[in-house]
Amino acid sequence: MQTAGNVTDLRRLLDTAARVIKRRSLIVLVSDFISEPGWERSLARLTDRHEVVAVRLFDPREYELPDAGLIAVQDAETGEQLMVDSSDPEFRHRLRRAGEERAIAVRDATRRAGVDLHVISTDDDLVEAFVRIVESRKRRRR
């Protein structure tokens, strides 16, 4: 849930879902999980009543940019633009580490909430990825 120029606030989305969805339901949350902090507790509360499956979409460029020298990057949500040197080894290391830390934090938060987390790259075939998720859920139920 966001407005133009603002960062996504998953907490508001999850709290709204918990309030609006009255009957026990299967909720599939598809997100990059780049959000304002504080969504973890709302996710845990949502799982008290509903079955929740989380799908984390990620772009491989969150971890590694092409070695193209000085490039302009723009945050799609805030519109902020930065010039970065994609050839700088230290920048490349920090970018990879930040992406890995974000992935670990999302994995740990969903695990604490008792939510199945599936990770899909923007490079993946989405149909095949969702078929894998459904098959995985079928196996777990048996």
Side-chain angles (χ1 to χ4, degrees):
M1 186 172 256
Q2 74 184 50
T3 58
N6 293 330
V7 177
T8 300
D9 187 351
L10 277 177
R11 181 189 50 78
R12 280 186 36 212
L13 173 75
L14 297 168
D15 288 345
T16 299
R19 189 176 60 254
V20 171
I21 304 170
K22 301 297 183 193
R23 297 177 65 183
R24 181 165 167 72
S25 301
L26 169 63
I27 298 173
V28 179
L29 173 63
V30 180
S31 177
D32 59 8
F33 290 90
I34 299 172
S35 172
E36 291 287 341
W39 57 267
E40 299 88 346
R41 190 170 293 140
S42 296
L43 178 63
R45 276 194 303 269
L46 190 62
T47 63
D48 288 343
R49 177 157 179 83
H50 305 286
E51 183 178 357
V52 180
V53 175
V55 178
R56 179 179 170 263
L57 290 177
F58 79 96
D59 186 328
R61 289 171 293 258
E62 292 175 28
Y63 297 88
E64 191 163 334
L65 291 173
D67 187 351
L70 199 58
I71 60 173
V73 293
Q74 180 173 335
D75 185 307
E77 293 180 343
T78 66
E80 180 183 7
Q81 292 185 343
L82 297 171
M83 293 297 289
V84 297
D85 182 359
S86 66
S87 301
D88 177 12
E90 180 59 29
F91 171 76
R92 295 172 76 81
H93 173 75
R94 286 193 327 264
L95 180 68
R96 175 171 291 286
R97 187 71 199 138
E100 291 168 350
E101 288 173 0
R102 186 170 41 254
I104 290 167
V106 170
R107 183 200 65 205
D108 291 349
T110 54
R111 185 177 290 156
R112 281 191 303 274
V115 172
D116 288 339
L117 176 67
H118 302 273
V119 179
I120 300 175
S121 167
T122 54
D123 290 343
D124 290 342
D125 179 301
L126 290 180
V127 172
E128 289 178 12
F130 278 102
V131 167
R132 283 193 312 269
I133 291 169
V134 170
E135 290 298 322
S136 168
R137 292 186 48 74
K138 283 181 183 177
R139 281 192 303 276
R140 287 189 78 195
R141 286 192 173 166
R142 288 185 206 142

